[in-house]
Amino acid sequence: MQPLLDAIAAMPLPTDACRIFHGRGGRFPGCEQWTLDAYPPVWVLTSFLPAGDETEAQLASIGAALAQRWEALAPGQPLNWVFQCRNEALRTQGRTETRLMAGSVPDPHVVTEQGARFKVHVLRGQNHGLFLDMAEGRRWVRDYAAAHSADRYGLKVLNLFAYTCAFSVVALQAGARQVVNVDMSHGAIAIGQQNHQLNGITTGASFLAHDIFSSWGKITRSGPYGVVIVDPPSYQKGSFVATKDYARLMRRLPDLLAPGGHALLCLNAPELGVDFLQSQMQELAPELKFVERVANPAVFADVQDGRALKVLVYQAPELPGHSSEGSQGG
């Protein structure tokens, strides 16, 4: 556990939501089960192994380290931290065990990232409302929207598997004209609408609480799009299984994208490498050109890069004789 304790002892005072320690990346032998995240003003410690007899002693050591560092960072302020157990048996049942270890959690709990505000919920569920490893993907969308905000017709974005619509918030903040958010979870979409309100965004976003695979007509009619974001769960029974369903999305991309438009393909499945996406794209949408893989936040580094989050950028062909200026989602 020493690398985790060392990370706590050296951590700065976080202002944005971020990961502090990523044992899951395998760079710290003996700490593979642990992650520590900051959702200011709350710390969230997660274990991916079943709680055993030694767990309570480990939690006491970690709690003491957090208290000591917090006193140095924010003297006199209460320490708020949460422990969550997400071992494989619980995960496959869609369950977690979550304990408030000290202090309290704000309600509502709103965190920031790059100037945007997001509602999170750290005391329930496996997902807390904002995926911290996707911070660079959101930065890419923000930068792209800003670069295309002056395009002739404005930038139109399709956000598939939108969850709580963080991509939509940053795109509209940066100057996108319109974002279509699609997710089959009514609860996630409702939080997504609240996230737009939190950021003072009152126009430009639409929210479809639909099954994407039965809504292609509606989705296509709203296009074409300058950016299509595909960020599905890697495995969600009855909803999406990457090994068979990702191909169904890839086939649609050429018809959804405006000339010169870009697709952001995301996959967080450790067992599926970059080649899983690239080989299928080559087969199913060969006219789309691979541009780059977006780097993950440095703290999420993995000893096997193929296990980490994959975020790949592809571009549709330009119209002959045209540059991409003015053609993004007209």
Side-chain angles (χ1 to χ4, degrees):
M1 258 193 1
Q2 196 57 45
L4 170 57
L5 299 177
D6 291 345
I8 292 171
M11 67 188 182
L13 180 66
T15 51
D16 280 1
C18 62
R19 177 146 295 182
I20 301 297
F21 182 79
H22 185 61
R24 300 275 283 166
R27 295 182 301 139
F28 308 104
C31 287
E32 291 84 356
Q33 80 186 80
W34 300 106
T35 63
L36 179 65
D37 296 317
Y39 292 91
V42 183
W43 306 95
V44 178
L45 175 76
T46 304
S47 170
F48 290 84
L49 288 180
D53 293 340
E54 76 285 357
T55 302
E56 294 306 316
Q58 291 173 325
L59 291 179
S61 297
I62 294 166
L66 283 170
Q68 183 175 355
R69 184 59 180 159
W70 187 241
E71 182 58 31
L73 292 172
Q77 297 297 309
L79 171 66
N80 310 308
W81 74 285
V82 167
F83 170 63
Q84 182 171 79
C85 185
R86 284 179 57 181
N87 64 70
E88 191 65 18
L90 290 169
R91 191 185 68 78
T92 53
Q93 299 169 40
R95 297 194 304 118
T96 56
E97 291 176 0
T98 307
R99 278 193 268 164
L100 177 63
M101 303 296 291
S104 60
V105 174
D107 186 17
H109 186 181
V110 176
V111 298
T112 59
E113 181 191 83
Q114 291 281 302
R117 305 176 75 216
F118 301 104
K119 187 175 182 181
V120 296
H121 44 85
V122 300
L123 285 174
R124 67 178 194 278
Q126 294 185 8
N127 304 320
H128 300 314
L130 184 69
F131 290 113
L132 303 182
D133 56 353
M134 192 55 82
E136 292 303 313
R138 288 187 286 272
R139 186 194 299 273
W140 185 95
V141 169
R142 183 189 295 278
D143 291 348
Y144 190 93
H148 291 273
S149 60
D151 284 5
R152 183 176 174 187
Y153 298 108
L155 178 68
K156 184 183 289 186
V157 179
L158 174 62
N159 187 18
L160 297 176
F161 306 94
Y163 187 45
T164 56
C165 306
F167 279 121
S168 179
V169 167
V170 301
L172 290 166
Q173 280 186 330
R177 175 171 65 91
Q178 184 181 355
V179 182
V180 177
N181 297 288
V182 191
D183 195 288
M184 68 188 301
S185 167
H186 288 263
I189 285 286
I191 295 173
Q193 290 172 310
Q194 293 172 35
N195 282 335
H196 285 73
Q197 293 161 9
L198 273 174
N199 290 280
I201 300 169
T202 56
T203 60
S206 57
F207 304 92
L208 305 176
H210 296 318
D211 180 348
I212 288 164
F213 293 114
S214 59
S215 305
W216 286 122
K218 182 174 289 197
I219 290 168
T220 304
R221 282 194 299 274
S222 296
Y225 304 92
V227 174
V228 175
I229 300 162
V230 184
D231 187 17
S234 59
Y235 184 89
Q236 197 168 82
K237 193 172 182 181
S239 167
F240 189 89
V241 178
T243 47
K244 68 181 182 68
D245 291 327
Y246 220 122
R248 300 164 68 191
L249 300 169
M250 291 171 173
R251 290 190 185 97
R252 297 278 181 173
L253 289 173
D255 293 332
L256 293 170
L257 283 166
H262 287 70
L264 196 72
L265 305 185
C266 312
L267 180 64
N268 198 356
E271 70 280 7
L272 300 174
V274 174
D275 59 327
F276 168 80
L277 292 175
Q278 290 184 326
S279 60
Q280 288 195 95
M281 281 295 287
Q282 184 62 43
E283 176 189 347
L284 301 170
E287 61 268 55
L288 269 57
K289 181 182 71 175
F290 175 68
V291 178
E292 64 175 322
R293 178 179 177 183
V294 177
N296 293 323
V299 71
F300 283 93
D302 198 296
V303 289
Q304 293 176 253
D305 196 44
R307 293 192 320 186
L309 171 68
K310 276 71 68 176
V311 181
L312 306 187
V313 180
Y314 282 82
Q315 184 176 17
E318 304 276 6
L319 287 174
H322 287 68
S323 72
S324 61
E325 182 67 25
S327 67
Q328 306 294 306

